[in-house]
Amino acid sequence: MGMLVQSSLLHFSSAVLILLLLPMPNGMASGECDVFTGTWVHDQSYPLYDPAKCPFLQHEFTCQKNGRPDLIYTHYRWQPLACNLPRFNGRFLLERLRGKRIMFVGDSLSLNQWQSLTCMLHSAVPTSNYSLTRVGDVSIFSFTEYGVKVMLHRSVYLVDVVRETIGRVLKLDSVEGGAKLWKNVDVLIFNTWHWWSRRGPTQPWDYIEVGHQIIKDMDRMKAFQRALTTWAGWVDANIDPTKVKVFFQGISPSHYNGSLWNEPSAKSCMQERTPLSGSRYPGGLPAAVAVLKVVLSKMKKPVTLLDITALSLLRKDAHPSIYGLGGSTGNDCSHWCLAGVPDTWNQLLYNFLIQRKNMIHN
Ligand SMILES: *[C@@H]1O[C@H](CO)[C@@H](O)[C@H](O)[C@H]1NC(C)=O
Ligand SMILES: *[C@@H]1O[C@H](CO)[C@@H](O)[C@H](O)[C@H]1NC(C)=O
């Protein structure tokens, strides 16, 4: 019985319904299994959608359209070691989210995941009307017939950056600017990390405010931790977990140093065509992961970490490289081609959203 359900899961998108109707056999309850430890397996039934049929996909992620010749990297499925993930069913998710708002908040990795989710949902209901608008820093993708809004709030630090007379001030203790936009949203998925190490002309602030002090700079990992703690304080004070589900997207890794995946001659992801096999990345986890986990562990309200770092580290093959923005911006080994790895992040998000205990109440 267990095996039957298990194999049908891999083949039928209606499996989600089966999951809800049947008691889960041992080892199948993905809510109780570590879905983040596993391997990438070749699966010709992937990718989950044809990126050419996703007209709103942004240029920086459309690797095939930008000339990437190999496709093997699109035919991989994430396989947890201890259980199976339900196959993504976009129609089911739209029904489940009917009338609700879901918002990604963060930097361009949030943009990457937001674009992925809108493609995954649109490809499930290709003839269903949608609209795409932008109001200030918020992009809104509406599935009008379902009343579902999938939104993106671009906020690279989560905390505020405010223009004052002395210049632009990064306020590690304040999320006021963002928090206004996070009200009345039913599912929030936060992310910040990549901008904390920026220096020079692309650093978008001149001073840091921390406590009652204004300083020119500080240890960036400490600044990151302080900002996360501020964000966590806002969640603890403002979120009603019976109404709102909160996720943290996790640290998305880059691939610019082949020594970290036992290929010292590789100076970037450029020539990579296949994932690493197995579950372990030789170079270990970025230090930011531990900082994030410490902050999350001290929170009072439940936040689900989409712990996507380790599984994404194995995908040195899945970045746009020269098939992204191209031109002088060159070789992108930080973002991800779509279709691609962020689809798996969304499959994991889906896995948590459809669990009965995570049902959102009105
Ligand atoms: C989509 O929108 C158009 C124009 O507003 C409308 O004519 C059409 O009936 C809508 N389609 C569906 C399936 O609701
Ligand atoms: C790449 O990683 C190796 C191993 O950690 C390290 O010794 C080396 O300095 C790194 N190279 C660069 C260019 O960062």
Side-chain angles (χ1 to χ4, degrees), residues 127-130 144-145:
T127 59
S128 187
N129 281 342
Y130 67 85
T144 45
E145 286 151 51

Side-chain angles (χ1 to χ4, degrees), residues 282-299:
L285 295 172
V289 175
V291 172
L292 172 62
K293 286 185 177 172
V294 165
V295 173
L296 293 179
S297 72
K298 292 180 182 158
M299 291 181 72

Side-chain angles (χ1 to χ4, degrees), residues 110-173:
S110 292
L111 167 68
N112 219 169
Q113 189 176 357
W114 172 72
Q115 286 248 291
S116 157
L117 185 59
T118 55
C119 285
M120 289 163 80
L121 291 171
H122 170 67
S123 73
V125 290
T127 59
S128 187
N129 281 342
Y130 67 85
S131 72
L132 183 52
T133 54
R134 184 167 175 156
V135 181
D137 288 330
V138 180
S139 302
I140 305 161
F141 194 106
S142 297
F143 290 89
T144 45
E145 286 151 51
Y146 293 86
V148 173
K149 285 190 166 67
V150 184
M151 304 188 276
L152 172 72
H153 171 211
R154 186 174 188 281
S155 167
V156 300
Y157 298 111
L158 300 184
V159 293
D160 296 332
V161 179
V162 178
R163 189 172 289 279
E164 297 187 345
T165 45
I166 49 165
R168 298 160 301 174
V169 183
L170 173 62
K171 303 196 171 217
L172 298 185
D173 301 327

Side-chain angles (χ1 to χ4, degrees), residues 6 27 33-40 78-84 278-280:
Q6 204 153 338
C33 131
D34 169 16
V35 290
F36 304 110
T37 301
T39 57
W40 290 96
W78 177 246
Q79 177 62 58
L81 292 184
C83 57
N84 292 322
S279 300
R280 207 186 70 82

Side-chain angles (χ1 to χ4, degrees), residues 72-83:
I72 298 170
Y73 79 94
T74 67
H75 301 308
Y76 282 92
R77 173 173 56 78
W78 177 246
Q79 177 62 58
L81 292 184
C83 57

Side-chain angles (χ1 to χ4, degrees), residues 256-260 267 283:
Y256 290 102
N257 181 352
S259 298
L260 302 176
K267 298 285 173 261

Side-chain angles (χ1 to χ4, degrees), residues 215-226:
I215 52 180
K216 196 67 194 143
D217 208 342
M218 67 185 281
D219 180 290
R220 298 303 183 84
M221 199 61 93
K222 290 204 171 85
F224 171 63
Q225 179 156 9
R226 177 95 177 198

